[in-house]
């Protein structure tokens, strides 16, 4: 496991192995965990590989994403398109999928600019959905959207988010205008294979750079997402 200033980082296989060893059959009593395991368990909970209900650890939604990545792997197909988008806009390009309410970044191609967005491996559910999460919300029916918004979103933000999700359903594109972090903007386009949302392609970076090219980024991201979807059908 490698570490960085932003926290622990490790490969999916290492996380799965650690999670399996820590949880055994899928649960682990908090009293049974040794103190040496606590940092690892905390990191696994943060990244969605485990959940903790106050007394037990259980396997979390991100575990399902590990297998999903390879059925078949979308990453090698998306990689050249992501690199093209990076060259075109010099901003971080992300390939994400929501599993069990948790956003999993399957692959990132990070900008080399000094000020840039460096996405985490996993983004737990929150009350400020990202552009990719808005596209997954758009897959729900109206009743499910209303229930999600009523249960998870602050009253002052509900109508705006509802309008954004319905627009994303109609266009296949969603935006982040500083919703998740101040001065971070992003554009995401859905990758639809058959009738299923396979993943989303997104570009994110400082708002002053993204917002000035918003339409251009949306068009290019949508084009790349559609090309990836066609290749996945072969």
């Amino acid at each position: 496991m490698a570490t960085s200033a932003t926290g622990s980082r490790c490969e999916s296989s290492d996380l799965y192995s650690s999670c399996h060893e820590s949880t055994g059959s899928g649960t682990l009593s908090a009293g049974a965990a040794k103190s040496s395991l606590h940092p690892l368990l905390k990191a696994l909970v943060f990244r969605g590989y485990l959940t903790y209900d106050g007394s037990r650890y259980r396997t979390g939604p991100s575990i399902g994403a590990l297998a999903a990545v390879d059925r078949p792997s979308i990453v090698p197909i998306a990689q050249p398109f992501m690199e093209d988008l990076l060259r075109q806009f010099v901003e971080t390009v992300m390939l994400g999928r929501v599993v069990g309410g948790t956003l999993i970044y399957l692959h990132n191609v990070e900008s080399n600019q000094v000020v840039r967005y460096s996405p985490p491996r996993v983004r737990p559910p929150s009350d400020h959905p990202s552009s990719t999460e808005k596209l997954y919300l758009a897959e729900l029916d109206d009743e499910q959207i209303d229930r999600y918004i009523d249960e998870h979103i602050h009253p002052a933000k509900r109508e705006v988010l509802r309008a954004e999700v319905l627009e994303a359903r109609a266009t296949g594109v969603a935006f982040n205008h500083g919703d998740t972090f101040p001065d971070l903007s992003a554009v995401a386009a859905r990758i639809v294979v058959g009738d299923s949302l396979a993943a989303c392609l997104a570009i994110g970076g400082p708002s002053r750079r993204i917002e000035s090219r918003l339409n251009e980024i949306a068009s290019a991201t949508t084009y790349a997402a559609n090309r990836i979807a066609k290749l996945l059908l072969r």
Side-chain angles (χ1 to χ4, degrees):
M1 181 182 296
T3 59
S4 71
T6 58
S8 299
R9 299 191 181 194
C10 46
E11 296 299 324
S12 300
S13 58
D14 296 333
L15 282 168
Y16 179 81
S17 176
S18 298
C19 179
H20 178 73
E21 292 170 3
S22 300
T23 61
S25 62
T27 64
L28 174 68
S29 171
K34 296 180 180 179
S35 59
S36 60
L37 281 177
H38 289 166
L40 171 62
L41 294 172
K42 185 177 180 180
L44 291 170
V45 169
F46 177 78
R47 287 162 176 79
Y49 291 93
L50 292 177
T51 61
Y52 180 57
D53 62 9
S55 61
R56 286 184 179 275
Y57 291 93
R58 301 179 186 274
T59 52
S62 299
I63 289 295
L66 300 182
V69 170
D70 294 319
R71 293 200 313 264
S73 179
I74 190 175
V75 174
I77 295 173
Q79 174 85 26
F81 295 97
M82 297 175 74
E83 292 175 351
D84 284 345
L85 290 171
L86 174 64
R87 283 190 290 268
Q88 185 174 354
F89 298 106
V90 202
E91 301 291 356
T92 298
V93 185
M94 299 153 280
L95 182 69
R97 176 182 292 156
V98 173
V99 179
T102 296
L103 173 57
I104 314 293
Y105 286 111
L106 308 177
H107 187 59
N108 304 313
V109 181
E110 196 166 314
S111 170
N112 62 3
Q113 300 201 66
V114 175
V115 180
R116 62 184 183 272
Y117 179 50
S118 298
R121 168 68 174 171
V122 173
R123 187 172 186 273
S126 72
D127 64 349
H128 39 274
S130 67
S131 54
T132 291
E133 290 169 308
K134 290 173 186 175
L135 286 171
Y136 273 86
L137 286 173
E139 295 293 297
L140 304 177
D141 61 36
D142 291 346
E143 183 178 344
Q144 290 173 318
I145 292 172
D146 289 341
R147 183 164 60 249
Y148 176 90
I149 289 175
D150 290 344
E151 292 176 355
H152 299 285
I153 306 302
H154 188 279
K157 301 178 180 179
R158 288 174 182 170
E159 289 307 313
V160 172
L161 178 59
R162 184 178 285 105
E164 289 179 331
V165 169
L166 294 179
E167 181 179 2
R169 178 193 287 171
T171 64
V173 178
F175 302 92
N176 180 346
H177 303 288
D179 302 321
T180 52
F181 298 102
D183 197 36
L184 168 67
S185 291
V187 180
R190 61 191 177 197
I191 301 172
V192 178
V193 180
D195 295 326
S196 300
L197 180 56
C200 292
L201 191 63
I203 297 179
S207 294
R208 65 183 183 278
R209 298 200 303 250
I210 297 294
E211 298 291 342
S212 65
R213 306 181 70 182
L214 199 64
N215 292 335
E216 184 183 359
I217 292 173
S219 178
T221 305
T222 300
Y223 176 78
N226 290 338
R227 290 285 306 279
I228 294 168
K230 288 180 180 179
L231 290 174
L232 286 169
L233 282 171
R234 293 183 178 179

Short mmCIF file of all heavy atoms in Angstrom, two decimals, residues 25-65:
data_model
loop_
_atom_site.label_atom_id
_atom_site.label_comp_id
_atom_site.label_asym_id
_atom_site.label_seq_id
_atom_site.Cartn_x
_atom_site.Cartn_y
_atom_site.Cartn_z
N SER A 25 -16.22 -13.90 6.66
CA SER A 25 -17.47 -14.24 5.98
C SER A 25 -18.25 -13.02 5.55
O SER A 25 -19.30 -13.14 4.96
CB SER A 25 -18.35 -15.09 6.91
OG SER A 25 -18.69 -14.34 8.07
N GLY A 26 -17.76 -11.84 5.85
CA GLY A 26 -18.45 -10.64 5.41
C GLY A 26 -18.76 -9.68 6.53
O GLY A 26 -19.11 -8.54 6.29
N THR A 27 -18.61 -10.10 7.78
CA THR A 27 -18.82 -9.21 8.91
C THR A 27 -17.68 -9.38 9.89
O THR A 27 -17.01 -10.40 9.95
CB THR A 27 -20.15 -9.50 9.64
OG1 THR A 27 -20.09 -10.82 10.20
CG2 THR A 27 -21.32 -9.41 8.68
N LEU A 28 -17.46 -8.35 10.70
CA LEU A 28 -16.40 -8.39 11.70
C LEU A 28 -16.85 -7.60 12.89
O LEU A 28 -17.22 -6.43 12.76
CB LEU A 28 -15.10 -7.81 11.13
CG LEU A 28 -13.94 -7.66 12.12
CD1 LEU A 28 -13.44 -9.04 12.53
CD2 LEU A 28 -12.81 -6.85 11.51
N SER A 29 -16.86 -8.19 14.04
CA SER A 29 -17.25 -7.49 15.26
C SER A 29 -16.21 -6.45 15.58
O SER A 29 -15.01 -6.69 15.51
CB SER A 29 -17.36 -8.48 16.42
OG SER A 29 -17.55 -7.80 17.64
N ALA A 30 -16.67 -5.24 15.93
CA ALA A 30 -15.74 -4.17 16.22
C ALA A 30 -14.83 -4.55 17.39
O ALA A 30 -13.65 -4.20 17.42
CB ALA A 30 -16.50 -2.89 16.54
N GLY A 31 -15.35 -5.29 18.36
CA GLY A 31 -14.55 -5.68 19.50
C GLY A 31 -13.47 -6.67 19.13
O GLY A 31 -12.48 -6.81 19.82
N ALA A 32 -13.66 -7.39 18.02
CA ALA A 32 -12.70 -8.40 17.62
C ALA A 32 -11.54 -7.83 16.83
O ALA A 32 -10.53 -8.49 16.64
CB ALA A 32 -13.39 -9.49 16.79
N ALA A 33 -11.68 -6.61 16.34
CA ALA A 33 -10.62 -6.02 15.52
C ALA A 33 -9.47 -5.57 16.40
O ALA A 33 -9.66 -4.89 17.39
CB ALA A 33 -11.19 -4.83 14.75
N LYS A 34 -8.27 -5.95 16.01
CA LYS A 34 -7.09 -5.52 16.74
C LYS A 34 -6.80 -4.06 16.40
O LYS A 34 -7.15 -3.57 15.34
CB LYS A 34 -5.90 -6.39 16.38
CG LYS A 34 -6.08 -7.86 16.78
CD LYS A 34 -4.86 -8.68 16.39
CE LYS A 34 -5.03 -10.13 16.79
NZ LYS A 34 -3.87 -10.96 16.40
N SER A 35 -6.12 -3.39 17.32
CA SER A 35 -5.83 -1.97 17.11
C SER A 35 -5.02 -1.74 15.84
O SER A 35 -5.15 -0.71 15.20
CB SER A 35 -5.08 -1.40 18.31
OG SER A 35 -3.86 -2.11 18.51
N SER A 36 -4.21 -2.73 15.45
CA SER A 36 -3.40 -2.57 14.25
C SER A 36 -4.25 -2.57 12.99
O SER A 36 -3.82 -2.11 11.93
CB SER A 36 -2.37 -3.71 14.16
OG SER A 36 -3.02 -4.97 14.11
N LEU A 37 -5.48 -3.09 13.06
CA LEU A 37 -6.37 -3.12 11.91
C LEU A 37 -7.17 -1.83 11.75
O LEU A 37 -7.69 -1.58 10.67
CB LEU A 37 -7.34 -4.30 12.02
CG LEU A 37 -6.82 -5.69 11.64
CD1 LEU A 37 -7.91 -6.72 11.89
CD2 LEU A 37 -6.37 -5.73 10.20
N HIS A 38 -7.28 -1.05 12.78
CA HIS A 38 -8.16 0.11 12.75
C HIS A 38 -7.86 1.08 11.61
O HIS A 38 -8.78 1.54 10.93
CB HIS A 38 -8.15 0.82 14.10
CG HIS A 38 -8.86 0.05 15.18
ND1 HIS A 38 -8.73 0.35 16.52
CD2 HIS A 38 -9.68 -1.02 15.11
CE1 HIS A 38 -9.45 -0.50 17.23
NE2 HIS A 38 -10.03 -1.34 16.40
N PRO A 39 -6.59 1.45 11.37
CA PRO A 39 -6.31 2.36 10.24
C PRO A 39 -6.74 1.80 8.90
O PRO A 39 -7.28 2.50 8.06
CB PRO A 39 -4.80 2.57 10.32
CG PRO A 39 -4.44 2.28 11.74
CD PRO A 39 -5.37 1.17 12.15
N LEU A 40 -6.49 0.48 8.71
CA LEU A 40 -6.89 -0.15 7.45
C LEU A 40 -8.40 -0.16 7.31
O LEU A 40 -8.94 0.17 6.25
CB LEU A 40 -6.34 -1.58 7.41
CG LEU A 40 -6.85 -2.46 6.26
CD1 LEU A 40 -6.44 -1.87 4.92
CD2 LEU A 40 -6.33 -3.88 6.40
N LEU A 41 -9.11 -0.55 8.37
CA LEU A 41 -10.56 -0.61 8.32
C LEU A 41 -11.15 0.77 8.05
O LEU A 41 -12.11 0.92 7.29
CB LEU A 41 -11.11 -1.18 9.63
CG LEU A 41 -10.77 -2.66 9.89
CD1 LEU A 41 -11.19 -3.04 11.30
CD2 LEU A 41 -11.43 -3.56 8.87
N LYS A 42 -10.59 1.79 8.68
CA LYS A 42 -11.07 3.16 8.47
C LYS A 42 -10.91 3.56 7.00
O LYS A 42 -11.81 4.18 6.41
CB LYS A 42 -10.31 4.12 9.37
CG LYS A 42 -10.81 5.56 9.31
CD LYS A 42 -10.06 6.44 10.29
CE LYS A 42 -10.56 7.88 10.22
NZ LYS A 42 -9.81 8.75 11.18
N ALA A 43 -9.77 3.21 6.41
CA ALA A 43 -9.53 3.54 5.00
C ALA A 43 -10.49 2.79 4.09
O ALA A 43 -11.00 3.33 3.12
CB ALA A 43 -8.08 3.21 4.63
N LEU A 44 -10.77 1.52 4.42
CA LEU A 44 -11.68 0.73 3.60
C LEU A 44 -13.11 1.25 3.68
O LEU A 44 -13.83 1.25 2.69
CB LEU A 44 -11.63 -0.74 4.04
CG LEU A 44 -10.32 -1.48 3.74
CD1 LEU A 44 -10.30 -2.85 4.44
CD2 LEU A 44 -10.09 -1.64 2.25
N VAL A 45 -13.51 1.71 4.87
CA VAL A 45 -14.84 2.31 5.01
C VAL A 45 -14.93 3.59 4.19
O VAL A 45 -15.92 3.82 3.48
CB VAL A 45 -15.15 2.59 6.50
CG1 VAL A 45 -16.41 3.45 6.63
CG2 VAL A 45 -15.34 1.29 7.26
N PHE A 46 -13.90 4.42 4.27
CA PHE A 46 -13.91 5.69 3.54
C PHE A 46 -14.04 5.46 2.04
O PHE A 46 -14.73 6.21 1.34
CB PHE A 46 -12.63 6.47 3.83
CG PHE A 46 -12.52 7.76 3.06
CD1 PHE A 46 -13.23 8.88 3.45
CD2 PHE A 46 -11.72 7.86 1.93
CE1 PHE A 46 -13.15 10.07 2.74
CE2 PHE A 46 -11.64 9.03 1.21
CZ PHE A 46 -12.35 10.15 1.63
N ARG A 47 -13.42 4.40 1.53
CA ARG A 47 -13.44 4.13 0.09
C ARG A 47 -14.60 3.25 -0.34
O ARG A 47 -14.72 2.92 -1.51
CB ARG A 47 -12.09 3.52 -0.33
CG ARG A 47 -10.99 4.57 -0.33
CD ARG A 47 -9.61 3.96 -0.31
NE ARG A 47 -8.60 5.01 -0.41
CZ ARG A 47 -8.22 5.78 0.60
NH1 ARG A 47 -8.75 5.63 1.79
NH2 ARG A 47 -7.30 6.72 0.42
N GLY A 48 -15.45 2.87 0.61
CA GLY A 48 -16.65 2.14 0.24
C GLY A 48 -16.48 0.63 0.16
O GLY A 48 -17.41 -0.07 -0.23
N TYR A 49 -15.30 0.12 0.52
CA TYR A 49 -15.09 -1.32 0.47
C TYR A 49 -15.68 -2.01 1.70
O TYR A 49 -15.92 -3.21 1.68
CB TYR A 49 -13.61 -1.65 0.32
CG TYR A 49 -13.07 -1.26 -1.03
CD1 TYR A 49 -12.49 -0.03 -1.25
CD2 TYR A 49 -13.20 -2.13 -2.12
CE1 TYR A 49 -12.02 0.34 -2.51
CE2 TYR A 49 -12.74 -1.76 -3.38
CZ TYR A 49 -12.16 -0.53 -3.56
OH TYR A 49 -11.72 -0.16 -4.81
N LEU A 50 -15.87 -1.26 2.76
CA LEU A 50 -16.56 -1.75 3.95
C LEU A 50 -17.58 -0.71 4.39
O LEU A 50 -17.47 0.47 4.07
CB LEU A 50 -15.56 -1.97 5.11
CG LEU A 50 -14.53 -3.09 5.00
CD1 LEU A 50 -13.62 -3.07 6.22
CD2 LEU A 50 -15.19 -4.44 4.86
N THR A 51 -18.59 -1.18 5.14
CA THR A 51 -19.49 -0.28 5.84
C THR A 51 -19.40 -0.60 7.32
O THR A 51 -19.03 -1.73 7.70
CB THR A 51 -20.95 -0.43 5.37
OG1 THR A 51 -21.40 -1.78 5.63
CG2 THR A 51 -21.07 -0.14 3.88
N TYR A 52 -19.73 0.37 8.17
CA TYR A 52 -19.65 0.17 9.62
C TYR A 52 -20.92 0.71 10.24
O TYR A 52 -21.28 1.86 10.04
CB TYR A 52 -18.42 0.90 10.17
CG TYR A 52 -18.24 0.76 11.66
CD1 TYR A 52 -18.15 -0.51 12.25
CD2 TYR A 52 -18.17 1.88 12.48
CE1 TYR A 52 -17.97 -0.64 13.61
CE2 TYR A 52 -18.00 1.76 13.84
CZ TYR A 52 -17.90 0.50 14.41
OH TYR A 52 -17.74 0.37 15.76
N ASP A 53 -21.63 -0.14 10.99
CA ASP A 53 -22.91 0.26 11.57
C ASP A 53 -22.82 0.57 13.06
O ASP A 53 -23.83 0.67 13.75
CB ASP A 53 -23.97 -0.82 11.33
CG ASP A 53 -23.62 -2.16 11.99
OD1 ASP A 53 -22.65 -2.21 12.78
OD2 ASP A 53 -24.33 -3.16 11.72
N GLY A 54 -21.61 0.70 13.57
CA GLY A 54 -21.42 1.00 14.98
C GLY A 54 -20.97 -0.20 15.78
O GLY A 54 -20.40 -0.05 16.87
N SER A 55 -21.21 -1.39 15.26
CA SER A 55 -20.78 -2.60 15.96
C SER A 55 -20.11 -3.62 15.05
O SER A 55 -19.31 -4.42 15.49
CB SER A 55 -21.98 -3.26 16.65
OG SER A 55 -22.95 -3.65 15.69
N ARG A 56 -20.45 -3.58 13.75
CA ARG A 56 -19.90 -4.56 12.82
C ARG A 56 -19.45 -3.90 11.52
O ARG A 56 -20.06 -2.94 11.07
CB ARG A 56 -20.92 -5.66 12.50
CG ARG A 56 -21.13 -6.65 13.62
CD ARG A 56 -22.08 -7.75 13.20
NE ARG A 56 -22.28 -8.74 14.24
CZ ARG A 56 -21.47 -9.78 14.45
NH1 ARG A 56 -20.45 -9.97 13.64
NH2 ARG A 56 -21.70 -10.63 15.42
N TYR A 57 -18.41 -4.47 10.94
CA TYR A 57 -17.98 -4.10 9.60
C TYR A 57 -18.57 -5.10 8.60
O TYR A 57 -18.56 -6.31 8.87
CB TYR A 57 -16.45 -4.13 9.48
CG TYR A 57 -15.76 -3.05 10.27
CD1 TYR A 57 -15.32 -3.28 11.57
CD2 TYR A 57 -15.54 -1.80 9.71
CE1 TYR A 57 -14.68 -2.29 12.30
CE2 TYR A 57 -14.90 -0.80 10.43
CZ TYR A 57 -14.48 -1.05 11.72
OH TYR A 57 -13.85 -0.06 12.44
N ARG A 58 -19.06 -4.59 7.49
CA ARG A 58 -19.60 -5.46 6.45
C ARG A 58 -19.01 -5.03 5.11
O ARG A 58 -18.61 -3.87 4.94
CB ARG A 58 -21.13 -5.37 6.39
CG ARG A 58 -21.80 -5.75 7.69
CD ARG A 58 -23.33 -5.62 7.59
NE ARG A 58 -23.97 -5.86 8.87
CZ ARG A 58 -24.30 -7.06 9.33
NH1 ARG A 58 -24.05 -8.14 8.58
NH2 ARG A 58 -24.87 -7.21 10.51
N THR A 59 -18.99 -5.96 4.16
CA THR A 59 -18.49 -5.59 2.84
C THR A 59 -19.37 -4.52 2.23
O THR A 59 -20.59 -4.57 2.33
CB THR A 59 -18.46 -6.82 1.92
OG1 THR A 59 -19.73 -7.46 1.93
CG2 THR A 59 -17.40 -7.81 2.36
N GLY A 60 -18.74 -3.52 1.63
CA GLY A 60 -19.46 -2.37 1.10
C GLY A 60 -19.70 -2.45 -0.39
O GLY A 60 -19.28 -3.40 -1.07
N PRO A 61 -20.35 -1.43 -0.95
CA PRO A 61 -20.74 -1.45 -2.35
C PRO A 61 -19.58 -1.43 -3.34
O PRO A 61 -19.73 -1.91 -4.46
CB PRO A 61 -21.59 -0.18 -2.49
CG PRO A 61 -21.14 0.71 -1.38
CD PRO A 61 -20.80 -0.21 -0.25
N SER A 62 -18.44 -0.92 -2.92
CA SER A 62 -17.32 -0.83 -3.86
C SER A 62 -16.76 -2.20 -4.24
O SER A 62 -16.12 -2.34 -5.27
CB SER A 62 -16.20 0.02 -3.28
OG SER A 62 -16.66 1.33 -3.04
N ILE A 63 -17.00 -3.21 -3.40
CA ILE A 63 -16.52 -4.55 -3.71
C ILE A 63 -17.13 -5.03 -5.03
O ILE A 63 -16.46 -5.63 -5.87
CB ILE A 63 -16.88 -5.53 -2.59
CG1 ILE A 63 -16.02 -5.24 -1.35
CG2 ILE A 63 -16.67 -6.98 -3.02
CD1 ILE A 63 -14.55 -5.48 -1.54
N GLY A 64 -18.41 -4.73 -5.23
CA GLY A 64 -19.07 -5.15 -6.46
C GLY A 64 -18.45 -4.53 -7.69
O GLY A 64 -18.46 -5.11 -8.77
N ALA A 65 -17.88 -3.33 -7.53
CA ALA A 65 -17.28 -2.66 -8.68
C ALA A 65 -16.02 -3.36 -9.15
O ALA A 65 -15.66 -3.28 -10.33
CB ALA A 65 -16.96 -1.21 -8.32
#
